Amino acid sequence: MFETDILLQDSREILGAVPVTLAMALTIFVLSTMVGSLFALVEYRRIPALRELVMAYKVVFKGVPMVIVIFLAYFGLPPALQFPFALVGIDFNAHQTPNWVILVIAVTGCVAAFQAEIIKGALNAFDTGQADAAYSLGYTRGQLFRRVLFPQVALTAIPDLTTSMMVIMKALSLGFAIEVVDIFAQSQLTAALNFYYLEAFVIAVVIYMVIAYIVTQIADRMEQALRVRT
């Protein structure tokens, strides 16, 4: 039976994980978008050697399940970080790296591969004739980027980037495998104490829906603002 009396008590505990989850999600979103943009630019400019490396990177991180990447980072990242510090004689214990940092790095690596595809698609949609027209009017590269290229590329990419944000939110639930507590993990822990699993997961669903609604509204407002500029 569904117990409504337990909802308020469980809600307080599960809501406590929201700030941490949002902080990790925003960090991953910003980092993966930055890395993905660099990768997309390499492919868009067709830079030799680097382009092949980027393509190989995307094949690996789009093909390997994210949970495997998280475990590989969990077991492999601390020794990999420890090695260069040991070479230069720096006393640093990489094995004390917080699990949430490892999770952020692992998910960022995976999501960056998809962000690169989104940004590359937006760049390919840009009409290069507008760049020629801007240069003929005396625009510098910086002015072209700020006034012409960025608004149009961002406008094209916003819908897919919004989806990426929600994918990141759901991907963070995999962090429970390495003892990182997000909204989903907190709902599991809360339910394990009182055995009201249905109620806890209903609360988690509502929280995710509210976050998705807020993210969508923010994206819609940004899209409208950019449409006015372009």
Side-chain angles (χ1 to χ4, degrees), residues 71-93:
F71 276 118
L72 287 174
Y74 179 71
F75 292 108
L77 190 58
L81 291 174
Q82 185 74 39
F83 181 71
F85 284 106
L87 285 179
V88 295
I90 297 177
D91 185 15
F92 176 74
N93 188 2

Side-chain angles (χ1 to χ4, degrees), residues 25-41 43 54 57-58 61-62 107-123 153 157-168:
L26 288 172
T27 301
I28 293 169
F29 179 80
V30 172
L31 293 177
S32 63
T33 302
M34 292 172 61
V35 175
S37 297
L38 289 175
F39 288 169
L41 190 60
E43 288 196 278
V54 168
Y57 177 93
K58 291 196 300 183
F61 280 90
K62 288 195 296 183
V107 178
T108 296
C110 292
V111 176
F114 295 94
Q115 301 291 65
E117 293 288 5
I118 294 172
I119 304 300
K120 186 181 75 171
L123 286 171
V153 170
I158 279 177
D160 289 328
L161 290 177
T162 304
T163 302
S164 293
M165 182 63 183
M166 298 316 303
V167 169
I168 292 169

Side-chain angles (χ1 to χ4, degrees), residues 134-158:
Y135 286 134
S136 68
L137 294 173
Y139 277 43
T140 64
R141 284 181 175 271
Q143 290 173 326
L144 171 65
F145 177 79
R146 292 193 307 271
R147 300 180 183 179
V148 182
L149 179 62
F150 177 77
Q152 294 190 37
V153 170
L155 182 62
T156 304
I158 279 177

Side-chain angles (χ1 to χ4, degrees), residues 48-75:
L50 289 180
R51 182 170 178 262
E52 284 69 26
L53 289 175
V54 168
M55 293 176 64
Y57 177 93
K58 291 196 300 183
V59 168
V60 172
F61 280 90
K62 288 195 296 183
V64 178
M66 195 175 296
V67 66
I68 296 180
V69 175
I70 291 172
F71 276 118
L72 287 174
Y74 179 71
F75 292 108

